[in-house]
């Protein structure tokens, strides 16, 4: 039989009060509603509820201050926080204030009902020794439902020592999540040390992790502390853990089991006083099945899984992220730029194979290289390379298009600006879409296309061969 109790709801939105009241009453609870902190305090004086559900922004105060007050006066009273301020800082502040749980708006009524039942059944969850988020810059940005779930998990794990495994595509922000867990947790005053398994030669991974003694191998002229020692008391972030060789996996598993390690060439056991946060862009379970990753190590690392969404799965965050990156570019000394709604729509339509990192790099290029203060859709397309040579959305002319292409080359392939191939490359990039457009305009008729271009048919044929343009059996002459 489900646990029921007296629930006090505080929200200044009458519609939310109504639907939440109805949902909780259907679940068998006794529900009282308040529209302000003052009303809530009066209701508290009349009857002690079993659970309080409160919004953050209220007409006469902040719900998070209420949480701290209530949990101070009534330590066993579970308080559930609702908020439209869907940021990691809000989730963590709710948790550090002593909230039983945090639900971002818009929330699912079934989820709220389940959370209320959990609060009644288990009692209030205490969270101690969390730093104030006012003192820590939280780099994670986003208010999408997918990011809200990430924030909730982070808020629950920052105060404990559980091992975390972060999964997600490259560029989704896995190291930012690891850094947030460290910065908001009790080890924040100790080092945060990151090591990328994919960037280290396989034969050196164990020495990098555990350190080595003088003479342990050729070239080891002195004792060197490994990442475990460097991170002592803090957090060790093992990035791209799926690229760790099997022998190193075995040794890491031994460290996680025993809490001790030995340097390469050493004999003395050293205590491993670190919190482990690992990350991967691979499907580790598939690697386990294929025999490429130890199953026992996977379960040791996957105590708390955090799955980061790809940017294309959280498109509603793109506008917030784009403007954040432009603001940060100003802090780095770049020119201030503003991005229009049409540009945001273009950004939201892009696939973002490089995820948030790709978006950040794009916005920094826009801040550094875009000529105007206002960024529109044409500017975004030019920088993304979509229609960069013949922009249709803006009447800027070929000079602006070539300038945009040169700007991209200066960043992405700077060597081409000096290797003597620039002229042929740019001419080829302009010539191909021009010839293809004229062929399409004239039904693949080469003679008509050549006349329109102002060149003879033989010259066009040579350019088709040189550029590798397939005319698909198009006519070479006018029909009789």
């Amino acid at each position: 039989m489900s646990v029921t109790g007296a629930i006090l709801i505080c929200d200044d939105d009458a519609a939310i009060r109504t639907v939440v009241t109805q949902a909780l009453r259907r679940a068998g609870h006794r529900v009282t509603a308040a529209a302000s902190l003052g009303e809530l305090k009066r209701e508290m004086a009349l009857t002690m509820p079993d659970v309080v559900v409160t919004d953050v922004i209220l007409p006469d105060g902040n719900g998070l201050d209420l949480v701290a007050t209530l949990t101070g006066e009534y330590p066993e009273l579970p308080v559930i926080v609702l908020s439209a301020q869907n940021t990691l800082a809000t989730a963590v502040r709710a948790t550090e204030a002593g909230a039983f749980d945090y639900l971002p708006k818009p929330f699912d009524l079934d989820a709220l009902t389940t959370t209320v039942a959990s609060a009644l059944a288990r009692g209030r969850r205490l969270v101690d020794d969390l730093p104030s988020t006012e003192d820590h810059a939280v780099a994670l940005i986003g208010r999408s439902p997918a990011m809200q779930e990430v924030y909730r998990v982070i808020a629950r794990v920052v105060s404990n020592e559980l091992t975390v495994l972060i999964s997600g595509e490259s560029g989704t922000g896995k190291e930012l999540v690891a850094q947030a867990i460290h910065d908001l947790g009790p080890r924040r005053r100790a080092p945060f040390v990151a090591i990328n398994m994919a960037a280290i030669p396989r034969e050196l991974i164990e020495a990098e992790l555990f350190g080595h003694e003088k003479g342990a191998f050729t070239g080891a002229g002195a004792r060197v502390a490994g990442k475990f020692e460097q991170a002592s008391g803090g957090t060790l972030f093992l990035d791209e853990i799926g690229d760790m060789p099997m022998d190193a996996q075995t040794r890491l598993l031994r460290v996680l089991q025993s809490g001790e390690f030995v340097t390469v060439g050493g004999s003395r056991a050293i205590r491993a006083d670190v919190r482990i946060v690992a990350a991967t862009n691979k499907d580790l379970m598939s690697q386990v099945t294929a025999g490429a990753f130890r199953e026992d190590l996977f379960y040791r690392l996957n105590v708390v899984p955090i799955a980061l969404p790809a940017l294309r799965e959280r498109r509603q965050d793109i506008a917030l992220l784009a403007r954040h990156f432009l603001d940060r570019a100003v802090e780095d000394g770049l020119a201030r730029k503003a991005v229009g709604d049409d540009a945001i729509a273009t950004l939201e339509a892009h696939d973002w194979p490089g995820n948030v990192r790709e978006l950040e790099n794009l916005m920094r290029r826009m801040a550094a290289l875009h000529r105007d203060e206002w960024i529109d859709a044409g500017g975004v397309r030019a920088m993304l390379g979509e229609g960069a040579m013949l922009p249709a959305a803006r009447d800027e002319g070929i000079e602006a298009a070539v300038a945009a292409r040169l700007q991209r080359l200066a960043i992405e392939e700077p060597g081409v600006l000096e290797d003597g191939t620039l002229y042929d490359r740019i001419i080829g990039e302009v010539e191909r879409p021009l010839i293809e457009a004229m062929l399409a305009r004239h039904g693949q008729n080469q003679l008509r296309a050549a006349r329109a271009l102002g060149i003879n048919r033989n010259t066009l044929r040579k350019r088709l061969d040189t550029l590798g343009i397939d005319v698909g059996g198009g006519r070479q002459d006018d029909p009789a």
Side-chain angles (χ1 to χ4, degrees):
M1 184 175 179
S2 61
V3 178
T4 61
I7 316 299
L8 176 55
I9 302 164
C10 186
D11 198 299
D12 62 340
D13 188 320
I16 290 179
R17 291 198 304 274
T18 299
V19 296
V20 170
T21 296
Q22 291 174 348
L24 293 178
R25 283 177 177 167
R26 284 195 298 270
H29 303 297
R30 303 180 304 281
V31 183
T32 305
S36 65
L37 290 179
E39 288 185 20
L40 181 142
K41 291 174 183 177
R42 286 193 291 273
E43 292 294 338
M44 290 283 297
L46 294 173
T47 179
M48 173 56 68
D50 297 310
V51 176
V52 171
V53 180
T54 182
D55 192 11
V56 172
I57 304 301
L58 294 165
D60 53 350
N62 189 297
L64 294 180
D65 296 333
L66 169 73
V67 174
T69 300
L70 290 180
T71 55
E73 295 179 3
Y74 310 101
E76 300 305 317
L77 176 65
V79 182
I80 298 168
V81 173
L82 310 176
S83 177
Q85 292 183 315
N86 302 333
T87 65
L88 174 57
T90 304
V92 174
R93 286 185 62 203
T95 305
E96 70 185 4
F100 176 80
D101 207 345
Y102 159 83
L103 295 177
K105 291 182 178 181
F107 53 86
D108 182 81
L109 283 174
D110 290 338
L112 175 60
T113 303
T114 300
T115 303
V116 167
S118 298
L120 288 167
R122 296 199 304 266
R124 202 181 143 267
R125 180 171 63 90
L126 296 174
V127 178
D128 300 319
D129 196 29
L130 278 175
S132 168
T133 54
E134 300 296 330
D135 300 330
H136 295 269
V138 179
L140 293 169
I141 302 291
R143 297 181 178 179
S144 61
M147 288 305 294
Q148 294 308 303
E149 185 57 32
V150 171
Y151 296 161
R152 292 180 68 197
V153 176
I154 292 174
R156 289 171 174 171
V157 302
V158 290
S159 63
N160 57 52
E161 295 290 296
L162 296 177
T163 302
V164 177
L165 179 61
I166 308 166
S167 60
E169 296 179 8
S170 294
T172 49
K174 295 186 288 295
E175 185 165 353
L176 289 178
V177 171
Q179 185 77 59
I181 291 171
H182 173 79
D183 289 346
L184 298 169
R187 291 178 176 265
R188 61 191 179 278
R189 294 184 180 87
F192 174 85
V193 177
I195 178 172
N196 188 321
M197 298 300 169
I200 301 171
R202 298 172 69 89
E203 64 275 11
L204 296 179
I205 283 184
E206 291 191 38
E208 285 286 332
L209 281 173
F210 309 114
H212 62 78
E213 301 296 324
K214 180 179 179 180
F217 49 83
T218 302
R223 184 186 188 279
V224 175
K227 302 302 184 185
F228 269 90
E229 279 189 84
Q230 295 171 26
S232 183
T235 301
L236 178 59
F237 176 50
L238 305 175
D239 199 8
E240 305 302 351
I241 192 73
D243 290 296
M244 181 179 248
M246 190 63 74
D247 52 352
Q249 291 180 33
T250 301
R251 193 162 179 192
L252 175 61
L253 175 64
R254 193 177 305 125
V255 174
L256 296 179
Q257 291 172 332
S258 67
E260 296 180 334
F261 65 94
V262 178
T263 60
V264 175
S267 58
R268 179 177 62 89
I270 302 172
R271 180 169 172 263
D273 179 20
V274 297
R275 180 180 190 167
I276 298 292
V277 179
T280 182
N281 61 5
K282 298 182 177 180
D283 182 347
L284 286 190
M285 274 308 300
S286 295
Q287 287 193 277
V288 169
T289 302
F293 199 86
R294 292 188 61 121
E295 183 176 17
D296 43 7
L297 177 58
F298 170 75
Y299 288 116
R300 281 277 181 177
L301 295 171
N302 197 44
V303 178
V304 179
I306 298 179
L308 290 186
L311 187 54
R312 59 186 173 276
E313 296 168 352
R314 43 180 293 221
R315 294 182 188 274
Q316 57 266 62
D317 290 334
I318 288 175
L320 190 65
L321 286 163
R323 293 184 171 114
H324 167 75
F325 292 138
L326 287 176
D327 289 342
R328 202 160 75 181
V330 174
E331 295 174 5
D332 293 338
L334 296 175
R336 179 171 294 281
K337 301 289 168 65
V339 60
D341 290 342
D342 62 335
I344 292 296
T346 301
L347 292 171
E348 290 174 343
H350 186 60
D351 284 339
W352 300 111
N355 291 294
V356 179
R357 185 184 297 124
E358 181 187 359
L359 175 61
E360 179 178 14
N361 290 341
L362 174 72
M363 301 319 294
R364 289 187 68 83
R365 291 203 305 273
M366 298 296 299
L369 303 175
H370 190 66
R371 296 179 305 169
D372 303 323
E373 283 188 21
W374 187 259
I375 299 171
D376 62 8
V380 171
R381 284 195 296 269
M383 203 64 73
L384 283 171
E386 299 171 2
M389 296 314 302
L390 296 172
R394 295 189 296 177
D395 185 19
E396 291 186 295
I398 196 66
E399 291 182 7
V402 171
R405 180 59 176 141
L406 289 175
Q407 289 169 349
R408 289 185 61 234
L409 285 174
I411 294 173
E412 298 171 3
E413 302 177 58
V416 78
L417 301 183
E418 307 293 339
D419 65 5
T421 66
L422 181 61
Y423 179 84
D424 288 339
R425 177 158 181 171
I426 294 296
I427 292 300
E429 291 183 1
V430 173
E431 190 176 21
R432 173 183 288 276
L434 178 61
I435 290 175
E436 288 177 339
M438 286 300 101
L439 285 168
R441 184 180 182 88
H442 294 285
Q444 303 301 312
N445 185 289
Q446 295 177 33
L447 180 59
R448 291 180 178 176
R451 286 174 178 169
L453 290 166
I455 59 177
N456 65 51
R457 185 178 59 195
N458 290 334
T459 299
L460 176 60
R461 288 176 184 169
K462 291 178 181 178
R463 298 313 299 159
L464 292 175
D465 290 341
T466 300
L467 295 169
I469 297 175
D470 182 7
V471 295
R475 298 188 304 274
Q476 297 184 8
D477 299 300
D478 286 314

